[in-house]
Amino acid sequence: MSLFRLDASILPSTSSSRALADLVEEQWTTAHPDAGVHRRDLTVDPIPATAWQNAVLGGFTPEADRTPEQREAIALRTAIADELVDAEALLFAVPLYNFGVSQHFKLWFDLAYTDPRIDPQGTALRGKPATLVTVLGGNYSPGSPKEGWDHSTGWLRRVLEDVWGLDLRVVQRPFTLVGVNPALDDFADIAASLKEEAETGARRSGRELAELRGAHPAA
Amino acid sequence: MSLFRLDASILPSTSSSRALADLVEEQWTTAHPDAGVHRRDLTVDPIPATAWQNAVLGGFTPEADRTPEQREAIALRTAIADELVDAEALLFAVPLYNFGVSQHFKLWFDLAYTDPRIDPQGTALRGKPATLVTVLGGNYSPGSPKEGWDHSTGWLRRVLEDVWGLDLRVVQRPFTLVGVNPALDDFADIAASLKEEAETGARRSGRELAELRGAHPAA
């Protein structure tokens, strides 16, 4: 029983999503120093690109007839689902990439979603407290020129809230490329304020996860 | 110079997206029997899950200092971009998976999008004739209970039309799980009519691609 944390940034050393997730985690470990944090990092420990197909095909195949690749994929998805089912609270740090969903997160979700406990019929995650931290290089808020170009957050909410039924908090930090891309230098002030807002939200959500410890039936 | 075709279904032998794309391709080959079709299949020949990170990191690294993995990833992305740049017309067959974008297509796009000819500054694909064939297990049309749950087509259009600037046709077939999932048996008639409509659209778009041959400056 612990906090489960998933990271999906492909640039760990300069990751804005990790920095925000650290703030969430800090609140958890401060409140529950002995509860522990279990991590999975999709860049440091990548899931093979063929894992999902193999798990799906293995699911259609009687156990005795499965190929070694299918067995391996099913064992991995069971380990991944165990992490979610066993945890008291969940933390996902997922950047927007190229206006869409992180390919690594989608692969991880597709694979996890083949486990009978958390597949379309599974209910093991309903009501579990969770935080999604997501970061966007640009600003896609209403009224901005790129409004509607964030095709990631909507899907992430869809599967985490509507499909798995998590009790989800979302912390979003836009404009992370301000200070990196000189074309965005004019937005320094608004970017700084959005960063501060996101950091406050991250700490708040971490406190909420910590306070909810023990409230979920699976805890 | 030819038609480039990309397939992303993880179940090739029963794939609805392939069947639809076959109809597009048929029109091309009937009109131009000697023009050829160049294929890439993301399931038969999977892109490694680490290719994109390695191409990105390799791009930040002087050529002489790149790791073997970075060189390999950059060579692959160049081959992938060559296929797009060299083709006269493009055909993409991409299913919706778990309410979102095919992980394999996203990996392929992310990787291709690091090539300088077709990256955020690249313009090599602008105006190139293309068809996107996409299939959905359920029905997500306005007024249906799952309206808004298709988080794939919007992003696909975004990157193919708005980012790469393709002259894009979209052929969508919903309700492919009718006849497979017994819970959807009541929708047999509407599914049959949607299938026919998509098939007609696929043939039409194939004729259009064939007619546009030679019209694009890159052809």
Side-chain angles (χ1 to χ4, degrees), chain A residues 10-11 43 46-47 49-50 52-53 57 97-101 103-104 106-107 110 113 148-149 151 154-155 158, chain B residues 10-11 43 46-47 49-50 52-53 57 97-101 103-104 106-107 110 113 148-149 151 154-155 158 163:
Chain A
I10 62 160
L11 299 171
T43 293
I47 296 174
T50 50
W52 180 50
Q53 290 116 289
L57 293 169
Y97 285 129
N98 293 331
F99 316 113
V101 169
Q103 56 177 260
H104 300 97
K106 183 61 162 56
L107 165 51
D110 286 340
Y113 195 48
W149 284 57
H151 294 272
W155 178 81
R158 182 70 73 194
Chain B
I10 63 159
L11 298 172
T43 294
I47 296 173
T50 51
W52 180 49
Q53 290 115 290
L57 293 170
Y97 284 128
N98 293 331
F99 316 113
V101 170
Q103 55 175 262
H104 300 98
K106 184 62 160 57
L107 165 50
D110 286 341
Y113 196 49
W149 284 57
H151 294 272
W155 178 81
R158 182 70 73 194
V163 173

Side-chain angles (χ1 to χ4, degrees), chain B residues 20 171-173 193-203:
Chain B
L20 265 185
V171 178
Q172 192 183 68
R173 183 186 154 203
S193 129
L194 288 166
K195 178 169 186 275
E196 204 181 302
E197 202 179 300
E199 288 170 349
T200 303
R203 286 193 197 92

Side-chain angles (χ1 to χ4, degrees), chain A residues 85-97:
Chain A
V85 172
D86 292 348
E88 290 179 302
L90 308 174
L91 171 57
F92 306 99
V94 188
L96 171 97
Y97 285 129

